[in-house]
Amino acid sequence: MRPFRWWLALVVLAVWPSMAFAQAQPRVEQLTVSMWPEFDRPDLLVIYRIRLASDAPLPTQLSVSLPESFSALNAVATVGPQGTLLNANYTQQTRNGTTVLVIDSDSLDIQVEFYTPIQRTDEQRSFTFTWPGGLTADRLIFEVQEPVGAENLTLAPAAGSRATGEFELMYQRVDLGALEAADQPTLTVNYTRTTAQFTSDFLVGPTPLGTPQAGGGRTPDLTAYLPWALLALGILLLAGGGIYYLRTRSREASPRPRHRRASAAEDPLEASPVYCHNCGARASATDRFCRQCGTPLRR
């Protein structure tokens, strides 16, 4: 029976990841893919802004795919009540050649930032972003920030709107409607730019990008701390066992107290033995009569 239990445990451990992946993901109300070319690097900064449905259970877990062209992951965060970015617990996996982020979230708003390269030919700039699929959303929006100094910026498919947004910069938006898990829509952007400065160089004050703050009140990733907890527990057990062993050996090595025989000074009968000449009973040196028969003792 015991070997069967071991085999059952191994099967459960092997099947568990696929079972967890097979669980339904929370419904995404809106997915905005915001693209900021040459914002703080020569590359394209891509920002996933994911808004979960208001009825999504929290905390939850969401799997998000990254395109093949991504070069560096910048941030994985949840959005706090005041709009503050908080570091999110996540794992990075590879599924069928695609990089997937499995994100733990206790917020309805999730943000992922990464970089992809931009094609350059003299002053001409271009890039193509293809959504890698794997996610269902009620609404998908592609958004492109116009770099400072950019000219003749065009989108394919064409933008449906152009308006001022964050940092008082211009943004072009393409609303693609509902997104199915198998959909992989593509956006191609072309523009010209003569300056090598980044857009962030023209902004006044700090930008909200960078390392998010440490999260507060989020569900901790217990698996990350489990090896350290087991190590600490093992050290405590070894220390306790060593102390117990040393104390036990100390008790065994120490001599046991022995009953001390009374000295002659403490025993009046041993100090000066006197015997009764009538009955032979022992008497003390200070006795005048025998304690047994009452006969006067001879000195």
Side-chain angles (χ1 to χ4, degrees):
M1 187 65 181
R2 190 171 296 175
F4 173 75
R5 291 179 181 177
W6 279 107
W7 278 107
L8 181 61
L10 291 175
V11 171
V12 171
L13 290 175
V15 175
W16 178 257
S18 59
M19 291 175 61
F21 178 64
Q23 294 177 354
Q25 296 206 100
R27 186 168 63 89
V28 176
E29 182 178 285
Q30 180 170 311
L31 168 62
T32 300
V33 181
S34 190
M35 308 173 206
W36 298 4
E38 300 182 74
F39 181 78
D40 58 353
R41 291 189 187 183
D43 301 320
L44 171 68
L45 174 63
V46 181
I47 304 174
Y48 290 171
R49 305 183 194 272
I50 304 169
R51 174 69 181 181
L52 302 181
S54 57
D55 59 352
L58 297 178
T60 188
Q61 193 174 74
L62 184 70
S63 296
V64 181
S65 300
L66 301 181
E68 295 182 359
S69 59
F70 101 94
S71 57
L73 189 62
N74 189 55
V76 179
T78 58
V79 183
Q82 287 77 37
T84 306
L85 294 181
L86 305 173
N87 280 316
N89 293 320
Y90 72 96
T91 58
Q92 183 170 319
Q93 305 175 2
T94 301
R95 300 174 183 171
N96 299 323
T98 301
T99 300
V100 178
L101 303 178
V102 182
I103 307 170
D104 298 326
S105 177
D106 59 1
S107 170
L108 295 178
D109 293 288
I110 301 171
Q111 184 163 316
V112 177
E113 303 174 6
F114 58 91
Y115 292 91
T116 64
I118 293 177
Q119 303 298 322
R120 300 166 179 268
T121 304
D122 296 329
E123 299 177 356
Q124 186 67 37
R125 312 281 196 272
S126 66
F127 62 86
T128 298
F129 176 83
T130 301
W131 172 254
L135 194 66
T136 301
D138 297 343
R139 187 183 184 189
L140 170 64
I141 296 175
F142 282 160
E143 177 185 75
V144 178
Q145 179 191 89
E146 296 184 7
V148 174
E151 297 179 354
N152 303 319
L153 191 145
T154 60
L155 278 62
S161 64
R162 181 174 182 268
T164 303
E166 197 171 2
F167 311 124
E168 298 300 319
L169 298 174
M170 297 301 298
Y171 293 81
Q172 297 191 33
R173 292 161 63 99
V174 180
D175 194 334
L176 298 174
L179 176 70
E180 299 298 332
D183 294 343
Q184 293 184 322
T186 297
L187 179 70
T188 300
V189 177
N190 290 277
Y191 64 95
T192 57
R193 193 166 187 257
T194 57
T195 178
Q197 287 185 273
F198 304 133
T199 296
S200 60
D201 296 336
F202 297 91
L203 302 180
V204 178
T207 66
L209 297 179
T211 304
Q213 298 180 11
R218 295 182 291 112
T219 303
D221 185 8
L222 298 181
T223 57
Y225 300 101
L226 183 58
W228 298 104
L230 292 177
L231 177 61
L233 179 60
I235 293 174
L236 289 175
L237 290 175
L238 288 175
I243 294 173
Y244 176 78
Y245 174 77
L246 292 176
R247 288 184 175 179
T248 303
R249 291 295 302 272
S250 177
R251 286 197 298 267
E252 292 177 354
S254 60
R256 296 183 179 179
R258 298 180 180 179
H259 296 289
R260 186 169 52 89
R261 293 184 59 184
S263 63
E266 295 173 349
D267 190 352
L269 298 180
E270 292 288 343
S272 297
V274 178
Y275 297 91
C276 175
H277 65 277
N278 181 44
C279 67
R282 175 184 285 186
S284 67
T286 58
D287 290 342
R288 298 181 62 186
F289 299 93
C290 178
R291 298 184 183 185
Q292 297 294 329
C293 64
T295 303
L297 298 175
R298 295 178 181 176
R299 301 293 175 177

